Amino acid sequence: MISNQSENLQKKSIPQKPKIIVGTGTCGLGAGARAVLSSIEQELKKLKLQADVVQTGCIGMCVHEVLVDVVFPGRTRVTYGGVKPAMISQILEEHAGKGEAVKKYVLSQMYLDDKTVSPYDGIPFFDDLEMNRSQLKHILRNCGFINPDSIDEYIAREGYTALGKVLKTMTPTEVINEISKSGLRGRGGGGFPTGEKWASCARYSADEKFILCNADEGDPGAFMDRSLLEGDPHAVLEGMIIAGYAISATSGYIYVRAEYPLAVRRLKHTIEQAKERGFLGKNILDSSYCLNIYIKEGAGAFVCGESTALQYSIEGKRGMPRTRPPQSVEAGLWDKPTVLNNVETFANVPVIINKGAEWYSKIGTEKSKGTKIFSLTGKVKNPGLVEVPMGATIRQIVFDMGGGIPKKKKFKAVQIGGPSGGCLPESLLDFPIDYESLVGAGAMMGSGSFVVVDEATCMVDMARFFMNFCANESCGKCPPCRIGTTLMLDILTRITQGDGEESDLEILEQMSDEIKTMSLCGLGQSAPNPVKSTLRYFKDEYLAHIRDKTCPTATCAALHKYEVTPDKCTKCMACVRNCPVKAISGSTKEVAFINKEICIKCNLCYEKCNFMAIK
Amino acid sequence: MKTIHLVIDDKPILAPEGTNIFQAALDNSIYIPGLCYHPKLSQFGGCRLCMVEVTERRTGHRFACAHPVSEGMIVKVNTPKVIRYRKAVMEYLLAHHPLDCPTCDKAGECGLQDITHELNLFPGRFKAVRMNAPMIRDNPLLELNRNRCILCGRCVSACKEIEGVGAIDFQSRGIKTVIGTAFDRPLACSFCGGCVSVCPTGAWQDRTLGFKGRSWEFSKVPTICPYCSVGCTIILNTKTETVRRVTSDDYLGINEGNLCVKGRFGYEFIHSPERTKTPLIRKNGELSPTSWDDAIEYIAKKFRQIINEHGGTAIGGIGSEKCTNEDNYLFQKFCRSVLGTNTIDNIANIKSPALNGLIYESVIHGMTSASLKEIEHANTLFFIGADMTEAHPVAGSMARKAIRLNNANLIIANERGVQFNSIARNDIRLKYALGSQIILINALIKVIIDEKLVDLKKVETSTNNFDKLRSLIDKFNIEEASKITGVTQEAIRNAALLLTKSGNCYIICGKDIEENPLAEDAIRALMNLCALLNSVNRGDTGSGKVSFFFSRSHNNSQGVNDVGVVPGFFPGYVNTNDVSNKEKIEKLWGVKLPDAIFKKDAENVIDLALNGKLKALYIMGENLVVNYPNGKKIKEACKKIDFIVVQDTFMTETAQLADVVLPAATFAEKEGTFTNMGMTIQRLNKAIKPVGDAKPDWQIICSLAQKMGHSCSYVSTKEILAEIESISPVYAGINYDRLRRKEFHWASSVYNKNKSAKYTFSMVKPKSSEIRKNKDLPFVLLTGASLNHQGTFSRYSKSLISVAPECFVEINKKDAQVLQINNGDKVTIESAQNKLTLKAKVTHKLPERTVFVSEDYEWIPVNLLRERGYTPVKIYKEIG
């Protein structure tokens, strides 16, 4: 039934009139998509053009937002990048009106689902873009392509076929076996085999069982889950329903942070639509399986991403992790057997069911299967979402997809896995990314935040930043995390202020071990990771702070000398213009000079200098 | 339950399945450091100090409080690695905790301090990260020093789980996490002090202690609380013959270390400057101090004179609900054998005359077989007419434990809304119309019989009169019952279903039932219900039981009746009108008892006084003027009595009317036994010397008897209890020395002897209490217990007064709106007898057209308003 639906809808999706697609994920909105959208509507009226205006989620090229795609009947879909309202009238007039792409704004073109349409000349294809070339988009296949508010568009792209297949032809045990066989592991960070988790929950029988979706994405620099929920919410929901069926859950909760208002709104809409179409609620698709899914908005505590704290939070209690055993699969939410998976994990499920475990397990490395989405941020040219097969190297992500480091600066390290992850240096650029090797290198998969750091970043300061984050977000339950992180932060702050002692490094290493061993939950156990990995790979920077009282990257303001290196100064006056207290003198003919008595060490001159002339 | 074998520190140990390592070690006296785990609270796992090395399939490090024992497990508590990590966590804690032990009252009994010593910690690696938060002193009893807090979460759990209040919780995140109330409002809780007792550091402090001594200086004497009838064990901390504070011990007594505000903070009356410290004799209308010899001489002379002129029956005696069994036993013996009168009574019996007989009957039939502590093993709890939170707070905590651990079902039936917070999944509240309790009980019986919720055949064979009950019940209409009681049929049915579930079912019958004019019928109906429930096939093994608990007000309300300070019974519920006992008692007491004592249907003491037949009244430890239910009557009666002797600790309203006042010792200054409402006899221990010239009551009675020419020479209370044991069948087998180790539960010992008794259903006509409302007096006055006050003692305890300085009249929200009464307005309640002005408290708990005044504020003479049954009153706002 669903596949028929799917074909019909596919036919329907071939446009008869021009279709204009605007990326209105949070990244798009941030870049000004709302203004673009309203000017499109105005211009269409002005030009008296008939066109469908559709919104879509993030396609991954966040750096090029606002993205506007135009599909002229019979032609390929053309993507315009960096669209401003001023560009709209030209694009609409020439492209939507006459079918001629405005090449100066064009980013790429792509075929629609059928390849019968004719492409434009001289426009690169989307998949051939540097950024997309080595990506493997299975999970993000719909993001940026479909209208996330439309269940029809999702169904048109094989949506809910996996659910139909599961309910019609598979027993819960078969579903679990299929997932186990695929080798799918939790995408939330820990990498626990999903099939195994479901199987152990399925073993417990109870009057109520819960399936939970963890959408409390709190890592700084992580936005994969948000993009998925905004761009393809039905895929997540479908995966969740399948999981619910596999463990015989009676109801489900999606725990999503309230800071993601768009995601919350989309999810609510998605659930309503799914209910209307009979994918949720009583007797799903005429089977005997019933499931209801509710949304619980989190109030923004980082620790609520921890499974037991998340469950307490749903119960209305303070989000504090509890000790295990019992594991959640035995007694989780309201002491009932519960399975909690990450958004991305659920999004993997329909793909596995549709294409088969065997197909899926061919992607990736021996122990880590499938693809992984990373949110690539920091000092790269093309920040955005990338989906790569497990085992891709850091170099591929940073230099191929990310386009390398801007401003000709040098790559220094990458922080993988947010505040609980670790910092990997240049020497590990060709390191394959999978669960085991990351842990071996002192980082962790985490949820998939991928922050690139260039040579101008001080690693001690970065460690301090992450430690500050962990210290603030500790729930306060156990002393190693509550007091330990604060003490570590204290030491790191001292080092960055030039008051460090050499014995501090030893203490930091001891504490890293102690906090890891003694903390109650994952937050505390992984909180020292940034310090540990920076100590491992960048010890010389720490020593420079302590012994020489200098910050090699001149980030730590307290250690700055703020002197101009005359050889490097190009007399561009960028520093002079930007100094808020007019402490810098200089002209186009004269090398800049910083008056230290007036200088407030705000660091603006250092940041503004493109030639590293200030130290 | 399966037993697990494991080894901790080379010591082989047995532990039930599901126990965690920490508890297993604790049970076997193996020390594992830990600050957050507490056996009576749910596991928290926050302090991280209990890390141990565990070898199951492989060796690893586990946290003892969070890890269940498993077969063949090997645990090592102190390996070098474990100690290193443990030290690290302690170092973190001490970097945060202020090291102000010299000025901290907790020093010496502080968990953090102990572990610091245990681990032999040296100055740490860190610079301190202290908090410098201000001390929170927003209430008179408890203070919170957040700087000292290590966030073990014990107080939060205790407040929620034990007391059911949940006044405090964690706030904020990270290093700023603190314990506090919602929105940092002043602490508004029941002030049970549970937080202080579980706090491992000096974060929570008892303000009544306030630097009055260091913990190691105190001698700690366990004894029994002198307030309500639960009979908690409290520990008096004394120094230089003064009580400095009260603590509790988790392993002593029936209360597991839980106390209420009265038990923990209501001890200050012992050293109140207002205690009567010397005997007083009325001379020229003034009470003036005198010596013991003169006072005793004077009383003996007076008594002898009255006996000679009017006979012994002209002297009455009022026993005490507060005094020990020994005091009361000697009191009735003195009255009966020395004075030769049977005109003796106590307030508990006066308020509820049928109760003693009914209790004894239900004990014989095995319906009152459980001790109070067994409440925590309940599977179903049925509170009828009982306000556990106010009247018996610690029994309420036991009930909450049953709810938390056994998932017990809870049914609360009451004519007014009572508060009882718990996490019960099945929590049914039956708020029945005033006076319709019998109809409600019969409705439950009807549902049980009609729907065959119990094995009716079994009922038929094990009881008498079942067919009669059936035919009576057949005529009973449940629809009508629902209409009269105001309880929906569905609710009645659900309650009946819960009651007939398997497992232990405990019914707690409260004062609202017992002191009602229809008390006897209501209790008989409840006994019928109980007999029915007894035949539920209980538990898998059928081992579950049904048991009654009768509420008693004071610490020894049960005991005073047990030892026979009632006209109807000799000690141990031996009927006075049964002459066959005469010989036995005469032989034991070594006297010839006058026939008047064996008279049937003795007249009420106060009625006799009103008729002018009573010439003298001997009152021991009872503030009769305030506590007698009808205030108007008692005042008149007292005027008509020529000679009143009061033996009490304070100059109560009654003592002020007396001709002779004898200073009595309080519970802290004497030995003896109390019997709680669960029929459990527990022993007191003397903590300090009597204050001033005060003497224990039994010694006063002895000297009086001796003065009157009787040999009454007991050396100790042990001797008296031995005599009680020999004379009273219900106390048979009790041993004073053994009481030190274990309490004695007389109900079970009596039941075991009389097991064959077959219950006969009594035919209780379903009727409602008459409520005489009229146009002028449209409201009904309800009274009840108060958590913060009880009797004379609380009145002289500064702390309790500061927590609850004022008695309020509670009034329904709707009525308040009509009468335009707001919280705190002065309101006058007027009955046919008298009127009383109090501040109003608007509540939603009361039914409409009722007002509620607590009768436990002794200085508020509610009894002046009251008459028997529901007193009609009117209320109006005082202007100005």
Side-chain angles (χ1 to χ4, degrees):
Chain A
M1 185 190 84
I2 298 171
S3 51
N4 289 344
Q5 257 183 19
S6 163
E7 263 167 44
N8 292 337
L9 288 167
Q10 262 178 29
K11 274 175 208 152
K12 231 174 82 184
S13 72
I14 298 169
Q16 301 307 313
K17 51 187 175 181
K19 190 171 168 187
I20 298 156
I21 306 158
V22 185
T24 53
T26 301
C27 45
L29 291 173
R34 221 178 293 276
V36 169
L37 203 60
S38 62
S39 85
I40 287 175
E41 272 157 14
Q42 281 169 15
E43 289 295 326
L44 282 176
K45 258 186 216 160
K46 225 187 265 173
L47 297 168
K48 292 186 182 124
L49 269 175
Q50 290 286 318
D52 289 329
V53 181
V54 190
Q55 300 183 23
T56 189
C58 173
I59 202 164
M61 300 191 294
C62 306
V63 69
H64 297 299
E65 292 285 356
V66 179
L67 293 169
V68 174
D69 290 21
V70 180
V71 188
F72 192 78
R75 302 303 297 266
T76 48
R77 172 171 166 173
V78 176
T79 307
Y80 294 91
V83 177
K84 301 270 176 304
M87 295 144 75
I88 295 297
S89 68
Q90 195 188 354
I91 294 175
L92 289 184
E93 199 176 334
E94 293 186 12
H95 196 163
K98 301 170 194 157
E100 289 163 21
V102 188
K103 283 190 183 158
K104 60 176 172 178
Y105 302 139
V106 162
L107 213 57
S108 65
Q109 61 175 329
M110 64 179 102
Y111 282 113
L112 298 173
D113 289 331
D114 58 331
K115 296 208 169 173
T116 55
V117 292
S118 55
Y120 292 92
D121 286 340
I123 298 176
F125 277 93
F126 180 79
D127 292 334
D128 294 338
L129 286 179
E130 183 197 30
M131 196 179 172
N132 298 328
R133 213 177 297 146
S134 349
Q135 290 198 39
L136 198 58
K137 293 206 173 187
H138 292 302
I139 310 306
L140 292 173
R141 66 194 181 283
N142 291 333
C143 279
F145 295 94
I146 61 164
N147 176 3
D149 277 332
S150 160
I151 192 168
D152 289 335
E153 288 194 27
Y154 178 66
I155 293 172
R157 297 188 70 156
E158 294 192 324
Y160 289 111
T161 48
L163 180 64
K165 183 177 167 189
V166 162
L167 291 177
K168 296 265 151 64
T169 63
M170 293 167 90
T171 63
T173 324
E174 280 167 358
V175 176
I176 294 173
N177 287 343
E178 189 75 4
I179 298 294
S180 299
K181 228 164 63 189
S182 75
L184 175 65
R185 294 170 66 173
R187 295 292 193 246
F192 191 82
T194 307
E196 204 176 302
K197 190 190 264 186
W198 293 5
S200 49
C201 183
R203 272 199 291 276
Y204 294 100
S205 57
D207 54 340
E208 270 182 305
K209 275 185 167 185
F210 296 102
I211 181 86
L212 308 182
C213 173
N214 186 348
D216 189 61
E217 187 178 48
D219 285 359
F223 49 84
M224 308 75 53
D225 294 350
R226 190 197 68 209
S227 297
L228 260 176
L229 292 175
E230 285 173 1
D232 197 9
H234 281 287
V236 179
L237 194 71
E238 187 182 356
M240 205 172 154
I241 302 168
I242 294 171
Y245 173 73
I247 65 156
S248 325
T250 50
S251 47
Y253 284 88
I254 302 177
Y255 189 88
V256 55
R257 12 176 21 199
E259 290 97 323
Y260 286 174
L262 183 64
V264 173
R265 194 172 58 78
R266 290 249 157 94
L267 273 176
K268 283 183 181 160
H269 186 70
T270 303
I271 290 174
E272 256 167 51
Q273 280 183 322
K275 268 189 192 161
E276 276 168 28
R277 301 292 176 94
F279 297 129
L280 254 186
K282 271 191 182 159
N283 297 36
I284 297 172
L285 295 178
D286 301 323
S287 71
S288 59
Y289 183 60
C290 309
L291 179 74
N292 269 318
I293 290 180
Y294 309 94
I295 292 174
K296 169 82 189 174
E297 289 178 51
F302 180 62
V303 74
C304 286
E306 201 275 346
S307 64
T308 54
L310 184 145
Q311 288 160 13
Y312 276 155
S313 181
I314 293 178
E315 290 174 24
K317 296 176 185 159
R318 180 182 161 94
M320 264 185 169
R322 62 163 171 81
T323 55
R324 286 176 275 197
Q327 298 290 346
S328 299
V329 288
E330 186 187 345
L333 186 63
W334 282 299
D335 286 338
K336 302 288 179 189
T338 302
V339 160
L340 173 78
N341 277 126
N342 174 264
V343 169
E344 199 186 327
T345 316
F346 283 130
N348 270 288
V349 172
V351 181
I352 295 172
I353 298 291
N354 272 336
K355 303 202 175 174
E358 212 158 296
W359 169 85
Y360 188 86
S361 62
K362 280 181 191 144
I363 310 169
T365 64
E366 195 198 333
K367 284 186 174 168
S368 308
K369 302 292 184 192
T371 58
K372 172 80 190 111
I373 309 174
F374 288 100
S375 53
L376 184 58
T377 54
K379 301 291 173 63
V380 280
K381 282 183 186 155
N382 306 327
L385 275 190
V386 296
E387 183 178 347
V388 291
M390 291 281 185
T393 62
I394 299 174
R395 187 186 296 279
Q396 277 177 314
I397 296 177
V398 177
F399 289 97
D400 296 353
M401 298 158 209
I405 315 296
K407 293 191 188 173
K408 292 183 192 157
K409 288 189 180 172
K410 263 175 71 190
F411 172 85
K412 186 173 195 177
V414 56
Q415 171 80 17
I416 300 181
S420 12
C423 228
L424 304 184
E426 200 181 355
S427 60
L428 297 177
L429 265 178
D430 292 308
F431 202 68
I433 300 173
D434 62 47
Y435 291 102
E436 274 74 26
S437 54
L438 277 179
V439 171
M444 64 186 266
M445 184 72 84
S447 50
S449 83
F450 199 98
V451 184
V452 180
V453 166
D454 69 6
E455 57 180 334
T457 311
C458 170
M459 300 315 281
V460 183
D461 189 57
M462 197 178 77
R464 196 188 67 86
F465 167 82
F466 282 119
M467 191 47 72
N468 186 31
F469 180 86
C470 289
N472 283 333
E473 289 297 341
S474 163
C475 76
K477 183 165 177 171
C478 66
C481 176
R482 177 181 75 239
I483 307 173
T485 54
T486 310
L487 290 168
M488 276 181 104
L489 175 65
D490 202 45
I491 295 174
L492 289 169
T493 310
R494 260 195 294 123
I495 294 176
T496 57
Q497 285 173 346
D499 299 327
E501 290 160 25
E502 244 168 271
S503 61
D504 284 344
L505 295 188
E506 200 191 326
I507 295 178
L508 281 178
E509 283 193 28
Q510 286 171 356
M511 290 186 78
S512 300
D513 173 45
E514 289 159 8
I515 294 175
K516 179 171 177 272
T517 315
M518 298 304 276
S519 285
L520 172 64
C521 76
L523 194 160
Q525 285 161 5
S526 58
N529 279 353
V531 174
K532 226 162 108 183
S533 57
T534 49
L535 265 177
R536 180 165 161 191
Y537 298 116
F538 301 96
K539 194 161 187 173
D540 47 338
E541 270 192 46
Y542 281 87
L543 288 173
H545 281 79
I546 294 168
R547 282 185 193 155
D548 312 335
K549 308 288 177 204
T550 53
C551 175
T553 59
T555 311
C556 302
L559 297 175
H560 276 192
K561 296 190 181 78
Y562 293 103
E563 279 169 0
V564 180
T565 315
D567 299 352
K568 287 187 180 171
C569 180
T570 58
K571 311 179 185 81
C572 70
M573 285 186 63
C575 54
V576 180
R577 277 194 306 276
N578 282 296
C579 180
V581 290
K582 307 224 179 312
I584 309 177
S585 59
S587 66
T588 47
K589 290 168 194 159
E590 206 182 324
V591 171
F593 173 76
I594 302 172
N595 185 342
K596 283 181 196 159
E597 281 175 15
I598 306 173
C599 176
I600 53 165
K601 295 190 171 183
C602 69
N603 210 35
L604 260 176
C605 52
Y606 177 82
E607 282 167 19
K608 290 293 170 186
C609 183
N610 288 329
F611 311 98
M612 302 287 283
I614 294 173
K615 64 179 183 186
Chain B
M1 199 178 277
K2 236 172 88 184
T3 307
I4 303 282
H5 301 74
L6 70 156
V7 177
I8 304 182
D9 274 357
D10 302 328
K11 188 177 169 188
I13 276 174
L14 298 178
E17 196 179 13
T19 322
N20 59 52
I21 300 174
F22 201 108
Q23 186 65 50
L26 206 62
D27 293 341
N28 291 280
S29 316
I30 297 169
Y31 176 73
I32 300 179
L35 291 170
C36 69
Y37 182 76
H38 197 291
K40 69 178 177 185
L41 302 172
S42 61
Q43 183 265 354
F44 184 72
C47 77
R48 318 309 285 162
L49 289 169
C50 62
M51 189 201 224
V52 289
E53 190 192 280
V54 173
T55 310
E56 282 173 293
R57 266 155 295 168
R58 51 206 166 101
T59 304
H61 291 96
R62 301 278 182 272
F63 292 90
C65 72
H67 203 75
V69 293
S70 65
E71 190 63 40
M73 172 189 264
I74 298 166
V75 179
K76 289 208 172 79
V77 179
N78 294 312
T79 65
K81 194 175 168 195
V82 165
I83 290 177
R84 181 162 62 85
Y85 284 122
R86 218 180 263 160
K87 275 187 172 178
V89 175
M90 276 302 285
E91 235 180 279
Y92 300 163
L93 282 172
L94 293 177
H96 184 255
H97 184 90
L99 303 178
D100 58 356
C101 306
T103 57
C104 177
D105 268 344
K106 191 78 179 186
E109 51 183 13
C110 169
L112 194 66
Q113 213 177 37
D114 293 347
I115 295 176
T116 308
H117 296 155
E118 195 67 31
L119 294 178
N120 202 3
L121 281 173
F122 285 96
R125 297 167 283 179
F126 311 112
K127 295 200 173 96
V129 282
R130 302 265 151 78
M131 276 216 329
N132 302 318
M135 184 90 89
I136 299 175
R137 288 201 178 98
D138 53 14
N139 67 82
L141 300 183
L142 305 168
E143 69 180 19
L144 174 61
N145 184 337
R146 287 171 168 175
N147 303 325
R148 293 179 187 150
C149 178
I150 55 155
L151 295 179
C152 64
R154 280 188 190 177
C155 54
V156 176
S157 309
C159 196
K160 219 170 274 173
E161 293 164 7
I162 294 176
E163 196 62 9
V165 171
I168 44 174
D169 208 333
F170 295 93
Q171 287 180 356
S172 306
R173 281 202 290 258
I175 194 82
K176 293 179 197 133
T177 316
V178 289
I179 298 291
T181 56
F183 310 108
D184 278 326
R185 291 195 190 117
L187 191 63
C189 64
S190 60
F191 295 106
C192 67
C195 42
V196 179
S197 77
V198 296
C199 183
T201 71
W204 284 104
Q205 292 278 4
D206 173 353
R207 287 189 71 184
T208 65
L209 173 62
F211 307 109
K212 281 193 287 197
R214 318 260 24 200
S215 63
W216 54 87
E217 297 176 315
F218 296 135
S219 49
K220 299 188 172 185
V221 184
T223 191
I224 306 299
C225 173
Y227 286 99
C228 80
S229 58
V230 172
C232 300
T233 296
I234 58 176
I235 300 190
L236 299 178
N237 288 233
T238 65
K239 182 182 155 188
T240 61
E241 294 297 325
T242 47
V243 178
R244 302 288 169 111
R245 68 164 172 181
V246 169
T247 52
S248 55
D249 188 323
D250 298 335
Y251 299 98
L252 276 183
I254 61 168
N255 51 317
E256 228 188 359
N258 303 330
L259 293 176
C260 73
V261 61
K262 298 191 292 288
R264 198 179 298 275
F265 301 108
Y267 63 90
E268 285 153 316
F269 72 90
I270 300 169
H271 300 292
S272 164
E274 287 163 79
R275 283 268 310 261
T276 36
K277 289 176 186 150
T278 52
L280 306 167
I281 290 181
R282 193 173 293 277
K283 282 177 190 157
N284 309 323
E286 286 280 314
L287 281 169
S288 49
T290 179
S291 72
W292 270 108
D293 285 341
D294 292 351
I296 296 287
E297 177 84 57
Y298 180 63
I299 300 168
K301 198 181 86 193
K302 272 287 202 182
F303 277 168
R304 243 186 259 126
Q305 189 188 337
I306 292 167
I307 293 170
N308 289 340
E309 285 172 19
H310 306 278
T313 45
I315 307 177
I318 299 288
S320 170
E321 295 177 87
K322 288 276 167 208
C323 290
T324 62
N325 290 323
E326 292 73 14
D327 297 336
N328 279 308
Y329 171 77
L330 276 196
F331 183 79
Q332 61 87 28
K333 186 180 168 186
F334 173 79
C335 289
R336 283 175 169 145
S337 67
V338 178
L339 301 178
T341 176
N342 197 34
T343 320
I344 54 173
D345 218 333
N346 68 76
I347 290 290
N349 189 48
I350 289 170
K351 280 186 176 168
S352 172
L355 197 58
N356 282 325
L358 290 167
I359 289 180
Y360 190 63
E361 204 180 319
S362 75
V363 169
I364 296 290
H365 292 297
M367 289 170 181
T368 301
S369 56
S371 72
L372 208 51
K373 182 141 181 72
E374 285 176 59
I375 290 184
E376 46 182 66
H377 303 301
N379 298 94
T380 305
L381 287 158
F382 181 29
F383 301 164
I384 179 157
D387 189 351
M388 293 299 267
T389 309
E390 298 283 339
H392 305 111
V394 178
S397 299
M398 293 174 193
R400 264 185 287 273
K401 188 175 176 186
I403 289 164
R404 192 162 61 87
L405 298 182
N406 315 340
N407 210 352
N409 308 308
L410 179 67
I411 308 161
I412 299 184
N414 214 312
E415 51 194 9
R416 61 193 165 94
V418 293
Q419 196 172 355
F420 186 82
N421 300 337
S422 74
I423 51 160
R425 290 251 170 96
N426 295 319
D427 184 341
I428 299 183
R429 307 280 166 132
L430 310 171
K431 200 166 162 184
Y432 56 83
L434 286 189
S436 64
Q437 59 270 39
I438 298 175
I439 296 173
L440 179 73
I441 299 163
N442 272 332
L444 289 170
I445 292 176
K446 167 127 180 139
V447 173
I448 291 171
I449 293 178
D450 284 0
E451 302 199 10
K452 300 195 173 57
L453 296 175
V454 297
D455 186 350
L456 296 182
K457 275 202 189 111
K458 205 171 150 194
V459 179
E460 212 156 355
T461 51
S462 61
T463 55
N464 299 325
N465 266 357
F466 181 54
D467 29 326
K468 273 195 197 166
L469 181 79
R470 270 188 110 153
S471 56
L472 183 81
I473 279 305
D474 276 343
K475 286 177 219 146
F476 185 79
N477 185 340
I478 196 138
E479 257 168 59
E480 208 175 310
S482 161
K483 219 179 274 168
I484 297 171
T485 56
V487 180
T488 60
Q489 286 187 49
E490 195 197 350
I492 296 174
R493 195 169 168 270
N494 286 340
L497 284 173
L498 288 188
L499 282 173
T500 47
K501 273 196 176 173
S502 61
N504 296 327
C505 172
Y506 295 134
I507 303 172
I508 291 128
C509 170
K511 279 203 321 188
D512 293 1
I513 300 282
E514 291 169 3
E515 291 177 12
N516 193 284
L518 291 179
E520 186 166 359
D521 285 348
I523 292 170
R524 285 208 182 278
L526 273 175
M527 282 164 75
N528 288 349
L529 176 68
C530 208
L532 275 179
L533 295 181
N534 250 330
S535 43
V536 179
N537 194 14
R538 294 201 166 265
D540 299 331
T541 51
S543 61
K545 64 176 169 186
V546 188
S547 182
F548 250 127
F549 290 97
F550 291 96
S551 284
R552 292 292 201 173
S553 301
H554 291 272
N555 54 330
N556 206 22
S557 299
Q558 183 62 40
V560 66
N561 292 299
D562 287 353
V563 297
V565 191
V566 277
F569 298 109
F570 282 121
Y573 302 104
V574 176
N575 267 320
T576 43
N577 57 22
D578 187 354
V579 192
S580 62
N581 290 315
K582 189 174 176 183
E583 210 167 302
K584 187 187 163 200
I585 291 168
E586 281 180 343
K587 196 176 156 203
L588 260 168
W589 287 354
V591 288
K592 197 107 180 78
L593 292 175
D595 288 341
I597 288 174
F598 297 92
K599 220 172 75 182
K600 214 182 165 190
D601 298 329
E603 229 175 318
N604 180 311
V605 189
I606 304 307
D607 289 340
L608 273 177
L610 283 173
N611 298 338
K613 285 182 193 158
L614 208 64
K615 299 296 167 197
L617 189 58
Y618 182 15
I619 303 167
M620 177 176 80
E622 184 60 75
N623 191 359
L624 195 62
V625 174
V626 175
N627 290 332
Y628 190 78
N630 191 327
K632 198 175 156 197
K633 245 183 177 181
I634 185 73
K635 281 213 160 156
E636 282 169 24
C638 284
K639 274 180 211 153
K640 290 194 175 166
I641 302 169
D642 301 335
F643 183 64
I644 299 177
V645 179
V646 172
Q647 173 175 318
D648 210 338
T649 46
F650 286 93
M651 278 307 287
T652 59
E653 285 83 350
T654 315
Q656 280 162 18
L657 300 175
D659 297 283
V660 184
V661 178
L662 302 173
T666 61
F667 78 108
E669 301 147 34
K670 65 184 177 188
E671 304 251 325
T673 57
F674 288 157
T675 307
N676 75 1
M677 67 185 246
M679 322 296 171
T680 301
I681 300 149
Q682 302 185 97
R683 190 177 145 176
L684 294 176
N685 289 304
K686 185 174 165 181
I688 52 169
K689 278 190 217 143
V691 173
D693 284 345
K695 280 187 185 179
D697 293 273
W698 63 271
Q699 287 180 5
I700 303 174
I701 299 169
C702 277
S703 43
L704 196 55
Q706 280 164 7
K707 191 60 82 185
M708 292 183 73
H710 284 255
S711 71
C712 187
S713 52
Y714 299 96
V715 182
S716 67
T717 44
K718 182 180 171 180
E719 244 177 275
I720 307 174
L721 191 72
E723 189 176 315
I724 300 176
E725 196 264 349
S726 63
I727 191 170
S728 155
V730 301
Y731 281 30
I734 196 168
N735 179 310
Y736 195 70
D737 290 328
R738 213 184 300 140
L739 281 180
R740 188 185 284 284
R741 273 171 285 124
K742 199 176 181 320
E743 65 274 11
F744 180 82
H745 184 230
W746 74 252
S748 53
S749 81
V750 168
Y751 172 57
N752 289 338
K753 280 177 222 153
N754 299 291
K755 242 177 179 156
S756 57
K758 203 171 179 184
Y759 180 71
T760 308
F761 280 105
S762 37
M763 298 304 114
V764 181
K765 291 239 167 62
K767 58 185 171 191
S768 285
S769 296
E770 182 195 3
I771 297 165
R772 288 163 292 129
K773 278 198 240 183
N774 57 42
K775 233 194 229 159
D776 294 336
L777 305 170
F779 281 79
V780 171
L781 173 68
L782 301 177
T783 60
S786 154
L787 171 66
N788 296 309
H789 284 286
Q790 196 183 36
T792 313
F793 296 159
S794 70
R795 207 171 155 179
Y796 294 100
S797 295
K798 215 171 56 216
S799 308
L800 296 181
I801 293 288
S802 62
V803 168
E806 217 168 341
C807 178
F808 289 95
V809 48
E810 286 178 31
I811 175 166
N812 181 290
K813 229 175 183 167
K814 279 187 190 160
D815 293 330
Q817 257 169 13
V818 174
L819 296 166
Q820 294 188 320
I821 293 172
N822 294 316
N823 266 330
D825 285 351
K826 282 210 159 179
V827 169
T828 299
I829 324 165
E830 190 175 328
S831 74
Q833 280 88 350
N834 214 323
K835 60 182 179 181
L836 201 61
T837 305
L838 294 169
K839 275 192 185 164
K841 194 183 213 170
V842 180
T843 157
H844 54 88
K845 287 192 296 184
L846 283 179
E848 281 174 58
R849 305 265 112 179
T850 57
V851 290
F852 176 84
V853 182
S854 168
E855 51 185 3
D856 280 335
Y857 290 74
E858 229 193 42
W859 63 97
I860 304 293
V862 191
N863 65 343
L864 288 179
L865 297 178
R866 285 179 71 186
E867 49 198 72
R868 194 154 162 70
Y870 296 98
T871 313
V873 292
K874 65 176 175 185
I875 62 169
Y876 48 87
K877 201 167 152 182
E878 280 295 300
I879 296 157

